[in-house]
Every structure is written in structure tokens, then in C-alpha cells.
Amino acid sequence: FLYLVAEFCCGFFVILILGNFWFLAVLYLLWLYLDWETPCAGGRRSQWVRSWTVWKYFREYFPIHLIKTSELNPNHNYLLGFHPHGVLVAGAFGNFCTGPSFKNLFPGLTPYLHIMPIWFGCPFFREYIMSAGMVSASKESVSYVLNNKGGGHASVIVIGGAEESLNAHPGSLTLNILKRKGFIKMALKHGAHLVPVFSFGENELFKQVANPKGSRLRNVQEKLQKIMGFALPLFHARGVFQYSFGLIPYRQPIHTVVGSPIPVKQNLNPTTEEIDQLHALYLQKLRQLFEEHKRNYGIPEHKSLIFE
């Protein structure tokens, strides 16, 4: 969906340049230059956009649910690690960028969904995603959100990133997390409490072309991901009027479960050992969250998370 909207916005910008409205394109480029740092400074959310009726239908299509397991004190800042990435990241968008669910369950907290900085270079599209509450995933952006002295901010980071989307096959429970420790360091530097979040059903929305590690397709996808910064999974699902083939996601329920916070004491210069220790604790709490709730959402008893 984001790819389609981004392409439309870029196409519209090209039309302005090539048409008789090139001066509007020039004015926008000036605006882009002056506003370039906004995605790293909290963005520019719009409650009007976040409350569009279309998002209500979007959430009800699957449907998407947000499940609370513990209180989050609004006097603290939090770093929510979202898993898994899936193809669409529907649970993250539906719960943290649209609707009243998060606000009702966690009053006093403002969520910021961090996404790849490359998206904010797309004309017009950047305005749309910022209005929905998305900000850059750069270190500067995360620091800006977590540096709120009064608390009440929640950075939502899809830990597995674009690379993990290549594992987004139905039934897959493989998470790219063992080497991802930057979010742990950020939490320590800002004293932000860590919260594991697991979105059950995220990988069931599409069927992806088989791309086991070591295969020719996977090697090409990984090379393109390193070059462009985002992955290109080859996926399909259903059509508008039939269920056999198309790009519309399957109607599979998504239950995004927000775990209990892991208290983090601020440490401006954490050592490698301290980062590794907190990272191991986070993995333990994430696995525990999954095991406690998997039976409720159709995961067989013998299935467990795979960290790589």
C-alpha cells in the first residue's frame, strides 16, 4: 500500500514538473529544503488524518486488534520493539498510526512509528506519512522522541527491518534480532523502558514466492536490499472479487500484543557487556510473551520463535 501511494505521489510531482505547473514544483522543493529535518524532530502528525474513516475499514478488514497485558506509566518514555515485520506491517500501522485503540488503552502516551528515512525523500508522500504519526528511524529521530523530559512518548521500532520481510511466509516465526542491538543502546542512553510487542497473524496476510536462504532469488533480494535500503519480497494474495490471486492481503485477524515493560536505568555510555545483558533479557521477555499468548491465536504448542 505504501509503495503504491509513494509511486502516485512521485508521479504527481513529475507531472507538475513536466506540465504547466512547474512553479508549484519549485515552491515545493523549497519547502522540502526548509522542512527536511522535520521527520527527525517528531514529525508533524494530524489527528484529522489519523481519524479518517478509511482507516476504520482498514482495521476491520482483517480485523486488527491491540491487546494490552500491562500498564505503561505515562511518566516514562518507552521503546516498543515490534515483531515480526511481515510484508505489510499492518499491525503497526493499524494500531499506532490510526484509530483510538492505543490512546484508550494507554492514556497519556503518544506513539511514534519509526520507518526507513528513505520514505521521507518522496515528494508529498512524506507529508502524508508524517501526518499519520510516522517519523524517521534514524538515531537522531529516536533520540528526539525518547528525550522528552516529561515522559509520555513511545518509540515504536520494527526491529527486524526490511531484511525480515523476506522471511514473511505464512507460519514463519523467524525473527532477525540477534545482531540488532542498536535499539538496546538507545534505550539505555535515554533510560527508556523496553516493551516487547508481538503481532500474531502478521505473516499470514500474503503468500511469498519461495526464497530459502542461499537460493538465487534470496541472494538477489538481499543484494537489492543492501543497495536500495528496502527489501522487495515477491508476494501475492487475493483479488478484489476472487480469492485465488491478487495483491490484496488475505482477511486474516491480526492481534498485536503489547508486553510488560522492562525497566531501564539511564546509562549514557553503556558497555558492550551491559548492552548484551539487556539484549538477552529482552529476548527472554519477547519469547515469554509469545509463549504465553500463542495458544490464543492458533499457534501450535510445539512452535516457538526462532532468533537469527
Side-chain angles (χ1 to χ4, degrees):
F1 179 73
L2 288 179
Y3 290 108
L4 293 176
V5 178
E7 288 178 1
F8 173 81
C9 291
C10 289
F12 180 69
F13 185 71
V14 171
I15 291 173
L16 289 180
I17 295 176
L18 299 179
N20 295 325
F21 302 97
W22 58 267
F23 62 94
L24 293 178
V26 172
L27 288 176
Y28 184 80
L29 287 175
L30 176 61
W31 161 257
L32 194 62
Y33 173 77
L34 297 174
D35 194 58
W36 189 255
E37 297 300 325
T38 301
C40 295
R44 186 171 46 248
R45 68 181 55 221
S46 165
Q47 192 54 42
W48 175 65
V49 174
R50 289 166 60 86
S51 302
W52 280 352
T53 303
V54 66
W55 304 135
K56 175 177 178 291
Y57 294 126
F58 172 79
R59 294 190 303 273
E60 292 178 349
Y61 172 81
F62 298 97
I64 295 175
H65 304 280
L66 185 65
I67 289 79
K68 173 182 177 180
T69 64
S70 179
E71 295 291 339
L72 297 182
N73 189 333
N75 293 325
H76 299 295
N77 292 317
Y78 297 88
L79 195 159
L80 279 61
F82 184 91
H83 312 271
H85 184 287
V87 171
L88 191 62
V89 204
F93 179 76
N95 286 310
F96 303 117
C97 295
T98 74
S101 295
F102 187 86
K103 181 179 179 181
N104 292 340
L105 291 177
F106 303 102
L109 284 181
T110 301
Y112 296 82
L113 179 59
H114 296 270
I115 64 174
M116 291 183 297
I118 190 174
W119 290 114
F120 296 97
C122 181
F124 300 114
F125 182 68
R126 68 188 297 274
E127 320 303 335
Y128 160 68
I129 55 180
M130 278 197 290
S131 66
M134 297 184 223
V135 292
S136 172
S138 66
K139 293 180 181 179
E140 295 79 10
S141 178
V142 177
S143 292
Y144 184 93
V145 173
L146 296 181
N147 201 35
N148 189 40
K149 300 301 181 182
H153 282 187
S155 280
V156 183
I157 301 177
V158 184
I159 305 300
E163 183 181 356
E164 193 173 85
S165 67
L166 300 178
N167 291 328
H169 296 271
S172 174
L173 295 173
T174 300
L175 303 180
N176 290 44
I177 192 173
L178 290 182
K179 296 181 180 179
R180 297 179 181 264
K181 300 179 182 180
F183 73 104
I184 298 292
K185 188 174 182 179
M186 294 299 293
L188 282 166
K189 283 190 171 184
H190 295 280
H193 295 350
L194 282 167
V195 182
V197 178
F198 195 88
S199 194
F200 292 90
E202 199 73 45
N203 284 339
E204 320 306 317
L205 306 185
F206 297 93
K207 292 180 180 178
Q208 191 172 166
V209 175
N211 59 341
K213 286 195 171 184
S215 65
R216 182 177 300 178
L217 174 59
R218 185 60 169 259
N219 290 337
V220 171
Q221 288 175 319
E222 290 177 347
K223 288 180 181 178
L224 289 175
Q225 189 265 323
K226 291 179 180 179
I227 295 172
M228 299 185 298
F230 57 89
L232 291 174
L234 300 180
F235 60 88
H236 65 88
R238 54 162 292 185
V240 178
F241 302 110
Q242 44 77 27
Y243 290 83
S244 58
F245 189 83
L247 295 179
I248 298 176
Y250 293 114
R251 298 191 70 174
Q252 296 290 339
I254 298 173
H255 295 87
T256 303
V257 184
V258 181
S260 301
I262 303 171
V264 176
K265 186 177 180 181
Q266 187 173 27
N267 183 347
L268 296 178
N269 296 292
T271 64
T272 301
E273 290 74 20
E274 290 170 329
I275 293 173
D276 289 343
Q277 184 178 12
L278 183 56
H279 186 259
L281 177 59
Y282 179 86
L283 294 183
Q284 176 188 333
K285 294 297 183 181
L286 174 59
R287 187 181 296 279
Q288 180 180 335
L289 177 70
F290 174 81
E291 293 294 333
E292 289 178 352
H293 294 274
K294 67 180 183 181
R295 301 171 190 82
N296 299 331
Y297 307 116
I299 306 296
E301 184 66 30
H302 68 279
K303 292 280 189 177
S304 296
L305 293 178
I306 299 173
F307 297 146
E308 63 174 29

